[in-house]
Amino acid sequence: ATRLLLSRLSVDARRHVLLGSAIDLLVRRLGDLDGAVPVLDEALAQRPDDLPLLHTAMRVFGELHAWTRLAPIVGRIAALQDVPERRAKYLAAQAQIVCEKLQDSARAADLYDAVLDADKTRLDAFSTLTRLYDALGDHQALERAYRKMIARVRDDGEPELTVELFKKLSRVYANRLGDVASAEKALEAARRLDPNDRSVRALAVDVLVGGDELERAVAVLRSDIRRDPHDARSYERLHEMFLRQGRLDHAVTTAQILSGFRASTARELRLLGNAAPKALHDVPGCLSDHAWASHLTHPDLCPSLTALLTTLARAHTRLFARTKGMPSFPGAEDDDPTGIRHAIVDLSLIHISEPTRPY
């Protein structure tokens, strides 16, 4: 039967059958893998797309740890797959060999990208791809990989995945490329997809802080607080921003607010203890009229609080004077535009008249 079959085949076909028999004998019967290699090479030269032969070669080169021979064989098998998921499977295997055995990260990255072109659900391949680009220091390629992945999945009805990709892309822009503007655009895209994702706004603050855009970070946090006045985390981050900016008056205020949400930290307690205003009788020495005004309107102090406290002080002193039947207090000049000197004089005289009364 074998002779009859061979007689009906062409010379090349007959030779291929004989080569296949020799390979089977060497590999499966004799276990002579090294001896099978030249026979495999000849057979593959005749039939490079013979899948059974390619699978045999994959087994032989794999067991021989001949990684440089194995990688292209697996790639050939991948190219012959009609089903995208199966093609992705073999491409991923090839990529792993190239990366781990041949130590060719750049080539492996290209193969993992091909895996995703075949099967965009292979998030494991995407994770490895981004790690490779990051390790290579090829941050432009890393940025392109994220944008390409977003294009693959954004119309699949899975906004959660797309939001996560935009968030990670923003980190690439901010931390790897130093492009704060593009990072903000990526976060804005994520925010449009999920306006309720609080982590997007938190990440926006991180991006701005990383770009030394502290005032803009403060603006984002204040916006968050207006949206949710009971968000302790936003107050904590705002407190940190004020400390970094050296705005101690603002930092004290946020520390006081935080004490209403939770127990104050040791650092907050130190700040509150050191920055708390002293009672007038505890202030050593004396200040001239001009010095009082300059101290109370110091640029490091919050101007809104200064204006508010000035108004309250004047109102309080006038009311107290009337209830005590005290005369108008001397020393205030009518041309004082801020009212600060007027208020300070009134308060000092009240303090002298009733030194035990707390103010």
Side-chain angles (χ1 to χ4, degrees):
T2 302
R3 290 194 188 94
L4 179 62
L5 175 63
L6 290 172
S7 68
R8 294 178 178 177
L9 297 174
S10 66
V11 174
D12 287 343
R14 274 181 283 176
R15 184 165 183 80
H16 189 72
V17 170
L18 291 172
L19 288 171
S21 298
I23 292 168
D24 184 71
L25 175 64
L26 289 166
V27 174
R28 293 180 174 81
R29 305 290 178 84
L30 301 178
D32 183 3
L33 302 183
D34 289 312
V37 169
V39 186
L40 273 170
D41 286 341
E42 186 175 347
L44 286 170
Q46 284 189 346
R47 303 280 179 89
D49 295 336
D50 187 323
L51 267 176
L53 187 60
L54 287 168
H55 277 281
T56 301
M58 182 171 67
R59 174 191 166 187
V60 169
F61 291 131
E63 292 187 19
L64 290 174
H65 295 177
W67 310 121
T68 55
R69 300 296 310 275
L70 177 61
I73 292 295
V74 178
R76 251 193 247 177
I77 295 173
L80 295 171
Q81 302 302 312
D82 294 327
V83 179
E85 290 77 11
R86 288 186 62 80
R87 185 163 63 253
K89 172 186 173 183
Y90 285 106
L91 283 169
Q94 184 187 14
Q96 187 175 7
I97 294 166
V98 170
C99 181
E100 298 178 7
K101 304 301 182 182
L102 301 181
Q103 301 291 304
D104 188 345
S105 297
R107 172 62 179 149
D110 290 339
L111 289 168
Y112 279 117
D113 192 44
V115 171
L116 292 163
D117 286 339
D119 183 1
K120 61 187 175 184
T121 68
R122 291 292 301 264
L123 297 182
D124 59 321
F126 181 69
S127 178
T128 305
L129 173 64
T130 55
R131 285 201 305 272
L132 287 173
Y133 281 140
D134 205 22
L136 288 167
D138 192 347
H139 300 139
Q140 295 289 348
L142 182 62
E143 180 256 351
R144 288 194 298 271
Y146 272 105
R147 288 196 290 108
K148 191 173 180 180
M149 193 64 185
I150 289 169
R152 290 185 183 110
V153 304
R154 70 182 309 165
D155 296 326
D156 289 351
E158 295 185 24
E160 297 85 359
L161 175 58
T162 309
V163 168
E164 286 303 313
L165 289 170
F166 271 122
K167 286 158 62 175
K168 290 181 179 179
L169 176 59
S170 75
R171 292 190 182 98
V172 173
Y173 281 128
N175 301 333
R176 297 292 186 268
L177 298 175
D179 187 348
V180 174
S182 293
E184 289 184 273
K185 289 178 182 177
L187 289 172
E188 182 56 36
R191 191 179 296 115
R192 285 196 298 269
L193 289 170
D194 188 357
N196 298 318
D197 189 339
R198 298 174 68 88
S199 67
V200 173
R201 297 188 67 80
L203 188 54
V205 173
D206 292 338
V207 166
L208 292 170
V209 171
D212 204 28
E213 299 271 2
L214 299 186
E215 196 57 41
R216 294 182 61 198
V218 166
V220 171
L221 289 167
R222 282 176 163 160
S223 175
D224 289 342
I225 289 170
R226 282 194 294 271
R227 185 179 292 102
D228 181 5
H230 303 286
D231 179 14
R233 179 56 182 154
S234 291
Y235 285 108
E236 287 174 344
R237 302 201 72 186
L238 188 59
H239 178 70
E240 293 298 324
M241 291 300 101
F242 288 147
L243 287 175
R244 288 188 60 165
Q245 292 178 307
R247 298 162 71 178
L248 295 184
D249 200 37
H250 294 66
V252 168
T253 302
T254 49
Q256 290 170 332
I257 294 170
L258 285 168
S259 68
F261 287 104
R262 51 157 175 75
S264 297
T265 65
R267 186 172 68 169
E268 290 165 0
L269 288 173
R270 285 195 300 272
L271 177 65
L272 291 172
N274 295 333
K278 295 180 180 294
L280 286 178
H281 59 268
D282 291 331
V283 177
C286 60
L287 294 174
S288 66
D289 290 344
H290 176 74
W292 273 111
S294 65
H295 275 61
L296 289 174
T297 57
H298 193 280
D300 285 346
L301 300 178
C302 175
S304 299
L305 285 176
T306 298
L308 176 62
L309 292 174
T310 298
T311 302
L312 290 174
R314 295 190 66 186
H316 178 269
T317 53
R318 296 284 181 258
L319 177 62
F320 183 75
R322 285 199 297 269
T323 58
K324 294 296 184 179
M326 298 175 70
S328 298
F329 299 119
E333 298 178 5
D334 293 334
D335 61 350
D336 176 16
T338 64
I340 292 175
R341 283 188 57 207
H342 200 158
I344 293 303
V345 170
D346 288 353
L347 280 172
S348 63
L349 290 174
I350 292 172
H351 183 74
I352 291 170
S353 63
E354 291 198 11
T356 61
R357 182 180 178 87
Y359 290 99

